[in-house]
Amino acid sequence: MHPVHLRSAGTSLLLAFDSGEAEIVHWGADLGENLPDLAILRGPVPHSALDIPVTAGLLPQASSGWAGRPGLRGHRNADGGPGLDFSPALRVVAAQVQDGGRTVVIIHRDSEAGLEVSSELTLHPGGLLELAHTLTNSGTAEYQLDELATVLPVPRDATELLDLTGRWCRENHPQRHAVQQGTWVRTGRHGRTGHDSSLLVAAGTAGFANRTGQVWATHLGWSGNHEQYLDSLADGRRMLGAAELLGSAEVVLRPGGSYRTPSLYAAYSGRGLDGITEAFYHWFRARPQHVDTTSGRVRPVVLNTWEAVYFDHSLEPLLELAEAAAGLGVERFVLDDGWFRGRRHDHAGLGDWYVDEDLWPEGLTPLIDAVTGHGMEFGLWVEPEMVNEDSDLARAHPDWIGGPAGRLPERWRHQQVLDLVNPAAWQYIFDRLDALLSEYRISYLKWDQNRDLAEMGHAGRPSVHAQTQAVYRLLDELRKAHPGVEIESCSSGGARVDLGILERTDRIWASDCNDALERQTIQRWTGVVVPPELVGSHIGPTTSHTTARTHDLSFRAITAMFGHFGLEWDVRRLDDAERTELARAIALFKQYRPLLHSGRMVRADEPDPALRLHGVVSHDGGEALYALVSVATSFAEVPGKVCLPGLLPDTAYRVEAVYPAAEDRRAFLQAAPPAWLAGGVEASGLFLAESGLPMPVLNPEHGLLLAVRRTTAGAPAADPAANSAHPVRNP
Ligand code: DGJ
């Protein structure tokens, strides 16, 4: 069988079949067209080892000497007991390149064991690699699957590992260590993706950073239990892998039955993490369902009622809130938790998806009419997968609560999980949501999910796998029935952020924490994979409800702008200055929205840990918006020159500070600002990236927004200091 070489956007994926298995010879930098004879590139055989070179196949197997974590584990219960067919010898019987050279489908077979695996690898146009296997039981007895993993080899110069972890209100924080021998495993047993799940597992060359180093990164597109790992073997080989974590006998394949793994998404970059981000963003934005400026549908500015009124729902205050929001330039009004029967607090009501007649005697129509009358869309919060024991639903159908046989799992936020594997429960939820979407003019659902699926079971057997699929089907069917409705995936903030859920939703809620300082980190690392137009990001109250920190509006607004911008604040109670500044911030976001939601994300490797610099550069290099953010007090008296990377080197640009105003005494602590700050400066992309601009002294937990635009004039201004100085003010 001939080797298969897929190439895209600077990445090569080279597969050889000489060993009888599909072996990834190279996944990394583009190799060009001229390849050597791969058959003679097989490695040596060491002493005290198998007599053949060990193949690290696409499905690593003990049958070819692989002593690391195997690709497939399972067995058959036949001929008097379990354990049969425990060690597959899957060999390639066909490999076909499809889809104009983007995809290769490889068929592996072990006729003896009665197993067949079809592996599909696609190298998407932006360089993102997608890999999934489908296992079929071609035998005559049931086959119990324990694990089917998707793995990719990384070279031995990938010596550092980065993954993400977190908790409620602190999602997606990085952790990093040297790769050593052994297996580093990140396990998610939450029944949902999890606050601590690793959105990305990245191996890279020593010291890889935002814009330097080689990086190989993977993400598993699955919202249930899972494992992600780096397997580093004694022979020096390293595999990045991920698999659904199956419960006992969760997948038992009848003869002819099959199981498909979640897709593993992977990217290679020779220019640091920004290159990984670019591959993911390219893939997201190429999806037909993607909502962004290029598809002609902009992400509307949101007001969400949660931190404004919580469960305190009544028509008059909400009408006032809608009016105040519209006056500020809000475009979508989302009514959060508290509108349905019995829901005055979080102890009751989940499952009773009828508008509460006591709170809303005329239904939601008066509010929706007012909202749409103001020219805004209306959105509604739901949490369809959950049930309170104190609900009509649970009283009528106690058996619809998921769990082990004979008892209920422990409550979490006073709630249980509805067993959506039960067809009647699934249908009830579908019908209620369908009815609400049919009766009311609802453009958007905030779809929440607020607990782990601990001990999740259907009919007494583990069911996270089936429940996850049932949720996916619910979303898919609702989208089919109501194609215009957008859906947000929220899960106690960011506990369900993955490409499985994002295949059927239009944005994620990154965190319940609206504290801008926390959000700087949460959004930075969520954004390594998910583009800003899909990451809900709201300006919360002046003093954060989840950290009690107080931040200026400018810092909160600059932080929210690099996402799907919104408000979660009782804007009825603003003073005049706040109202004026907030309206300006919203207008500023709208001005830059087309750029922010379509451009290339860049992150400088800023040497001062107190400072961060990120930005979005348009694909033609014509404009950019950067945020310089101070996250702590600095060791340095002045920040020095900060580089603005990612622009076209030979092009002249004008850089202007747009927010906050240069004379804003809350944001800056300096006797005089740098000379260019008030009037802007012209410089080449090369100068800005390599030499940088002297920045003002930002107070900690403040930001500065810099707009950059290509000048029509030819030569860049040579001396930034030649620009007019700003009048000196003492703090
Ligand atoms: C958790 C979400 O993350 C919040 O934004 C809010 O919608 C509450 N649930 C409502 O119960």
Side-chain angles (χ1 to χ4, degrees), residues 547-618:
T547 63
R549 272 197 203 108
T550 297
H551 288 124
D552 285 351
L553 180 50
S554 65
F555 184 46
R556 281 142 62 217
I558 288 171
T559 302
M561 276 182 202
F562 285 79
H564 179 188
F565 182 92
L567 315 176
E568 199 161 326
W569 188 12
D570 189 350
V571 292
R572 293 173 302 167
R573 306 193 193 289
L574 305 181
D575 63 30
D576 288 348
E578 275 175 329
R579 193 173 306 107
T580 306
E581 186 175 347
L582 183 55
R584 281 206 191 120
I586 292 173
L588 199 60
F589 167 73
K590 288 181 181 172
Q591 181 186 342
Y592 288 102
R593 173 166 53 189
L595 165 67
L596 287 165
H597 290 177
S598 67
R600 183 178 286 143
M601 183 68 79
V602 295
R603 316 263 179 191
D605 287 309
E606 173 49 50
D608 184 343
L611 286 180
R612 294 188 195 162
L613 186 285
H614 58 264
V616 177
V617 181
S618 66

Side-chain angles (χ1 to χ4, degrees), residues 306 336-337 343 381 413 446 448 450 490 492-493 509 512:
W306 184 239
D336 209 283
D337 196 357
R343 189 67 167 177
W381 180 95
R413 204 193 184 202
K446 177 178 175 184
D448 210 342
N450 281 309
C490 171
S492 328
W509 183 227
D512 276 354

Side-chain angles (χ1 to χ4, degrees), residues 322-478:
E323 190 179 349
L328 288 162
V330 168
E331 298 160 316
R332 175 182 282 162
F333 184 92
V334 180
L335 184 65
D336 209 283
D337 196 357
W339 57 269
F340 48 97
R341 270 188 203 159
R343 189 67 167 177
R344 303 292 189 282
H345 43 66
D346 60 11
H347 290 246
L350 288 175
D352 295 345
W353 301 109
Y354 296 87
V355 177
D356 189 289
E357 294 84 350
D358 295 340
L359 288 178
W360 304 93
E362 293 168 70
L364 295 176
T365 305
L367 179 62
I368 295 178
D369 283 351
V371 165
T372 53
H374 287 303
M376 297 185 289
E377 293 178 4
F378 180 79
L380 191 65
W381 180 95
V382 289
E383 194 178 359
E385 299 153 65
M386 298 293 156
V387 55
N388 285 118
E389 287 161 63
D390 185 1
S391 68
D392 292 342
L393 183 71
R395 281 182 283 273
H397 301 284
D399 55 317
W400 286 9
I401 299 177
R407 66 182 166 82
L408 291 180
E410 286 294 335
R411 291 181 200 121
W412 177 310
R413 204 193 184 202
H414 324 290
Q415 66 196 52
Q416 298 284 3
V417 183
L418 199 62
D419 174 15
L420 292 172
V421 183
N422 179 329
W426 187 98
Q427 195 61 50
Y428 162 78
I429 291 295
F430 177 87
D431 290 346
R432 283 317 312 144
L433 295 175
D434 182 49
L436 285 163
L437 292 173
S438 304
E439 181 178 351
Y440 292 111
R441 255 190 302 162
I442 297 170
S443 312
Y444 181 79
L445 286 180
K446 177 178 175 184
W447 184 297
D448 210 342
Q449 196 278 21
N450 281 309
R451 66 159 291 169
D452 278 8
L453 275 61
E455 294 193 288
M456 188 60 199
H458 166 76
R461 294 187 170 80
S463 67
V464 170
H465 171 76
Q467 177 83 5
T468 309
Q469 286 186 325
V471 172
Y472 282 175
R473 194 163 60 86
L474 190 57
L475 284 158
D476 292 343
E477 293 300 320
L478 276 164

